[in-house]
Amino acid sequence: MPERVDGRGPEGGGGPRAGARRRGGPVFGLAEVYNPSMLPTLRPGDRLLLHYGAAVRPGDVVVVRHPFRQDLLIVKRAVERQGRGWWVRGDNPQVVNDSREFGAVPDELVVARARVRLRPLGAQRSPLAVASWALSAVRPLRAARSLSSLLRAR
């Protein structure tokens, strides 16, 4: 089953195309992760603060339109820029719904770069659980440089 990201961008359908900017500056939006392809970095239920039109570098977490189903948004890690677009992979080696299956993603299908992960508060509300959540709920998503070299397309 393909991973799905619920994009809640400024244009409803996941936001504007990559490279688009609003007159006042960058455009931001939210997305929700539904599948486990980015475990352990992202879990189902996590929310992402997206930056539409941001420059993408190897190691960044990005939201792209699936090349075969462009109504489907997926979240992956940008591994390498190739002549035909970005090679993207999930952090979870058990899920293959990435460039190993569909090849490089053209630049025009790169929707946004994820800047921050927001982890929802679980059902358990004990003081220890709330403290644990508070320490890990909001994390910036930085490029995983070492991961990108490990996952480099061959």
Side-chain angles (χ1 to χ4, degrees), residues 5 7 14 31 48 50 52 60-65 72-76 109-114:
V5 175
L48 301 175
L50 302 179
Y52 297 100
D60 287 342
V61 175
V62 294
V63 173
V64 300
R65 293 190 185 281
L72 180 67
L73 296 175
I74 56 176
V75 62
K76 301 294 174 197
L109 297 183
V110 177
V111 175
R113 179 176 163 194

Side-chain angles (χ1 to χ4, degrees), residues 18-80:
R21 294 197 184 266
R22 208 183 266 170
R23 273 186 244 151
V27 179
F28 293 93
L30 290 175
E32 182 176 349
V33 178
Y34 285 94
N35 286 28
S37 78
M38 287 296 292
L39 283 172
T41 306
L42 301 173
R43 299 179 196 163
D46 285 352
R47 303 266 192 305
L48 301 175
L49 175 64
L50 302 179
H51 184 178
Y52 297 100
V56 175
R57 295 177 304 222
D60 287 342
V61 175
V62 294
V63 173
V64 300
R65 293 190 185 281
H66 193 288
F68 301 147
R69 289 190 48 204
Q70 292 182 15
D71 61 327
L72 180 67
L73 296 175
I74 56 176
V75 62
K76 301 294 174 197
R77 188 171 302 278
V79 175
E80 178 179 58

Side-chain angles (χ1 to χ4, degrees), residues 133-153:
W133 169 82
L135 291 173
S136 69
V138 178
R139 287 271 164 94
L141 291 170
R142 294 188 174 92
R145 303 272 180 232
S146 60
L147 180 61
S148 67
S149 64
L150 290 174
L151 298 177
R152 189 156 319 275

